[in-house]
Amino acid sequence: MTGALASCAGAVGSGGVTLRLVAADYGDSSANSSKKYWDQLVEDFEAAHSGIKVEVSVYSWNDVDRKVKEMVARGDAPDMAQIGAYADYAAAGKLYPADDVLSIPVQADFASELSDAGKVNRTQYGMPFAASTRILFYNKTLFSEAGITTPPQSWSDLATDAQLLKAKGVTYPYALPLGPEEAQAETMQWLLSGGAGYLNGFGGYDLDSAQNVATFTWLKDNLVGKGLTGPVAPGKLNRADAFAAFTRGEVGMLNGHPSLMKMAREKGVKFGMVPMPGINGRAKSTMGVADWMTAFQQGGHKDQIREFLDYVYSEKNVLSFSREYDLLPVTSSAQEAMARSPQDQDLEPFLQELPSAELYPVGKTSWATVSADIKNRIGKAVGPDGSPAAILAQLQRAAVTADSAAR
């Protein structure tokens, strides 16, 4: 799955350059490993660009960020890394601005909400590579058996439907994964549906706002406290386990991203998808997630990186990657092509949510620390002895401290 890393960029013929790229694996088996995608892309690129070779090393998402961090720490940064965050490297002055490594047409083709999320101090360093949004999945068979004729549009609807599902013996009427794998995602989705989020209007952390406390108090009292979230405590339920339970027909409702469609279909689950309900109707915004391409300055290969990344972000390649892994394109041209294509209609509900989606505050160098803290603590807020106000206040104090230390 992984290629051997060269210790440094070597010569390729006269005046040639070898670029090194470290990338994350979006596949779930060797059959659809991202290595296959990159191998084909690099083969096509090198055939048309003499003098530039590209070596790609692919690692699982469990390892890729750590691998890049280790390389940078020992003074052996790759030319490019396709990873989950960028702000720390940008703040340390290790990255090229996107202006330096993308042509103007390619950079301008990024969806604006994704470009903006890639900026530190108004300069773009993070180049969006893949995106997804979250919407509410529901099991049509379980809904029918419980006598539910329409999917929920408000929190009240969701709680009522969960009660009906529980009465029919559904194991997880609503799956609430606040376990350490991805609690920051489920948390953000609910905070947004409650009308707030992680940040205030000035870009500062605001985790313990009155709206956020009200949201988690509602979750604790109306879902968790009434036994509507299943046999596993939310703080111990991971997203992967919740998805697996959905594919087994054990979950009535849960927040999901595009890859859940394929997983559910393969298991024969009949499902529907709707925007996340809000307090009194559809939530004003949903959560979006983006992964990032970064270009490191250490190797000094700015011009060659630009040639390669312009190729990577061509409409053809962006569409190919998005279709292979059920992800949303990060460029406007590929999004428009997907919207026109019958083969991509399954992704249309997610595409519709992207323009109004709110992403993690990845431009803050403190976000990695804050995210890890949320993963560790937020499940306690809805536990039997938990206090949403107290837990969110603890998270807020820690976030402010982390933010101050990162400046």
Side-chain angles (χ1 to χ4, degrees):
M1 295 283 283
T2 60
L5 289 175
S7 62
C8 62
V12 180
S14 177
V17 164
T18 296
L19 299 176
R20 293 182 298 147
L21 165 65
V22 176
D25 195 352
Y26 289 81
D28 54 15
S29 68
S30 58
N32 69 344
S33 167
S34 295
K35 186 176 188 304
K36 290 190 173 182
Y37 171 81
W38 286 112
D39 283 350
Q40 186 61 58
L41 184 147
V42 167
E43 181 181 333
D44 295 343
F45 172 81
E46 290 179 350
H49 297 79
S50 61
I52 304 177
K53 296 291 184 182
V54 183
E55 293 179 355
V56 183
S57 299
V58 176
Y59 295 95
S60 76
W61 272 111
N62 292 329
D63 299 321
V64 67
D65 289 294
R66 175 178 54 82
K67 290 285 187 181
V68 172
K69 186 175 182 179
E70 291 172 351
M71 294 171 70
V72 173
R74 65 173 182 260
D76 186 32
D79 294 286
M80 296 161 286
Q82 185 268 299
I83 47 179
Y86 64 86
D88 285 357
Y89 299 126
K94 296 183 181 297
L95 300 181
Y96 285 115
D99 292 1
D100 287 356
V101 289
L102 293 173
S103 66
I104 292 174
V106 170
Q107 187 177 8
D109 195 27
F110 286 134
S112 59
E113 64 274 11
L114 299 177
S115 286
D116 289 343
K119 293 178 180 177
V120 174
N121 295 326
R122 296 184 294 278
T123 297
Q124 184 180 359
Y125 293 94
M127 293 165 277
F129 182 75
S132 68
T133 54
R134 305 294 166 91
I135 59 179
L136 187 75
F137 283 68
Y138 64 96
N139 184 310
K140 287 185 173 181
T141 302
L142 297 180
F143 265 49
S144 178
E145 292 172 352
I148 305 169
T149 57
T150 58
Q153 297 181 355
S154 67
W155 286 3
S156 177
D157 292 344
L158 190 149
T160 298
D161 292 346
Q163 288 280 13
L164 293 170
L165 291 162
K166 181 184 179 183
K168 282 293 182 179
V170 174
T171 307
Y172 294 89
Y174 178 85
L176 183 67
L178 296 177
E181 179 191 1
E182 207 186 32
Q184 83 285 3
E186 185 74 9
T187 297
M188 184 171 173
Q189 183 68 69
W190 276 99
L191 297 185
L192 291 172
S193 74
Y198 285 137
L199 306 180
N200 58 30
F202 302 100
Y205 289 110
D206 199 17
L207 280 78
D208 62 346
S209 70
Q211 286 170 294
N212 289 344
V213 171
T215 294
F216 263 78
T217 300
W218 187 90
L219 280 172
K220 183 177 187 295
D221 294 345
N222 293 279
L223 292 185
V224 183
K226 294 184 178 178
L228 303 179
T229 53
V232 179
K236 296 186 180 300
L237 181 65
N238 282 326
R239 181 205 59 177
D241 296 327
F243 278 17
F246 188 80
T247 67
R248 295 193 300 267
E250 298 174 0
V251 175
M253 298 172 282
L254 83 169
N255 284 315
H257 52 63
S259 66
L260 183 56
M261 294 188 299
K262 181 179 179 181
M263 295 168 60
R265 284 200 187 96
E266 288 176 347
K267 297 294 185 178
V269 176
K270 295 180 180 179
F271 63 90
M273 302 178 294
V274 292
M276 177 67 180
I279 298 174
N280 297 309
R282 177 175 174 173
K284 292 181 180 179
S285 62
T286 189
M287 190 193 76
V289 176
D291 302 323
W292 305 96
M293 179 70 76
T294 57
F296 285 86
Q297 295 183 5
Q298 183 178 342
H301 300 132
K302 177 175 63 176
D303 294 339
Q304 292 85 1
I305 292 172
R306 185 190 300 114
E307 283 195 61
F308 181 65
L309 290 183
D310 276 2
Y311 185 79
V312 167
Y313 283 108
S314 67
E315 181 181 312
K316 168 193 164 187
N317 287 325
V318 172
L319 277 173
S320 175
F321 183 85
S322 301
R323 286 168 172 161
E324 177 67 27
Y325 298 106
D326 289 322
L327 292 164
L328 303 182
V330 297
T331 61
S332 297
S333 60
Q335 287 179 13
E336 290 165 5
M338 184 172 277
R340 295 190 303 266
S341 172
Q343 78 178 89
D344 299 312
Q345 290 309 298
D346 284 349
L347 288 171
E348 183 62 23
F350 297 93
L351 274 173
Q352 289 178 356
E353 294 291 305
L354 189 57
S356 62
E358 186 168 323
L359 279 68
Y360 296 134
V362 289
K364 296 174 78 67
T365 55
S366 58
W367 170 241
T369 299
V370 174
S371 176
D373 201 22
I374 292 169
K375 291 179 183 181
N376 289 331
R377 298 198 213 192
I378 196 63
K380 298 174 185 175
V382 296
D385 301 319
S387 165
I391 294 297
L392 289 169
Q394 292 171 13
L395 288 168
Q396 174 65 14
R397 289 194 295 271
V400 169
T401 299
D403 205 32
S404 297
R407 291 176 182 173

